[in-house]
Amino acid sequence: MDNYPFIFACVFLGIGLGITIFGISYIAKGLRIKRWPRAGGTITKSIVNSYFDSEGENMYYPDISYEFEALGKTYIGSMVRYGLGHSSAAESAEQITTNYFTGKNVQVIYNPQDPSSAYLEAKISKWTIAPLLLGLSMSGFSAGMIYSLFYSQWS
């Protein structure tokens, strides 16, 4: 039997398992954030910013800053939600800046071990599950390929 397909499948399986483990840890962090303490804060900046990505597409993101006090110190945060990325749709960023306008009083969710790590929302972005799904798909495909290579060799 030629070993190249088997080696390829094993490498692909290893990568898939690595991405799956990353996906699980990514979701687990998102779930831990829901249990972090909260503190009152104020939005100090709320605008939509944009840039051109490497393919020349205009990408938009909410550029938000907020100030809050935790454990006796004042902190400045900028994260809205764990896993929130940039989008080619300006409406998504505009909706967030409309919800979090400058001067608005908000509840900030912060990491008790590192209050500089903070978010405005405990929701997990829908894209947070993507690495897990990709890793499981790659792993399943690779495992099937390895099984069929062994099965065809011994049949």
Side-chain angles (χ1 to χ4, degrees):
M1 173 172 103
D2 189 10
N3 286 336
Y4 293 115
F6 178 73
I7 292 170
F8 170 79
C10 288
V11 168
F12 206 68
L13 177 63
I15 294 169
L17 290 174
I19 293 172
T20 300
I21 291 167
F22 170 77
I24 290 169
S25 68
Y26 200 57
I27 291 170
K29 180 179 179 184
L31 294 173
R32 279 193 307 273
I33 289 170
K34 291 178 180 263
R35 295 190 307 266
W36 287 356
R38 276 118 172 103
T42 305
I43 303 293
T44 57
K45 178 173 82 169
S46 180
I47 60 173
V48 174
N49 261 332
S50 67
Y51 64 94
F52 290 101
D53 68 8
S54 60
E55 286 135 21
E57 187 172 8
N58 207 355
M59 301 298 288
Y60 300 90
Y61 64 97
D63 188 359
I64 294 179
S65 294
Y66 47 90
E67 197 171 276
F68 66 100
E69 197 168 302
L71 307 176
K73 287 180 66 179
T74 300
Y75 293 90
I76 295 173
S78 61
M79 300 298 293
V80 174
R81 175 184 329 133
Y82 181 65
L84 180 66
H86 301 179
S87 171
S88 60
E91 296 80 23
S92 174
E94 288 168 355
Q95 181 181 10
I96 291 169
T97 57
T98 299
N99 289 342
Y100 296 108
F101 54 88
T102 302
K104 181 177 182 178
N105 292 325
V106 293
Q107 284 291 303
V108 178
I109 304 146
Y110 66 92
N111 183 338
Q113 279 81 39
D114 178 16
S116 64
S117 176
Y119 300 91
L120 293 175
E121 298 177 0
K123 293 190 292 187
I124 301 171
S125 174
K126 63 183 174 188
W127 294 107
T128 306
I129 197 166
L132 177 62
L133 295 177
L134 176 64
L136 289 172
S137 298
M138 288 176 67
S139 299
F141 173 78
S142 302
M145 193 171 166
I146 291 169
Y147 174 79
S148 72
L149 287 169
F150 274 118
Y151 184 74
S152 67
Q153 180 186 14
W154 291 323
S155 296

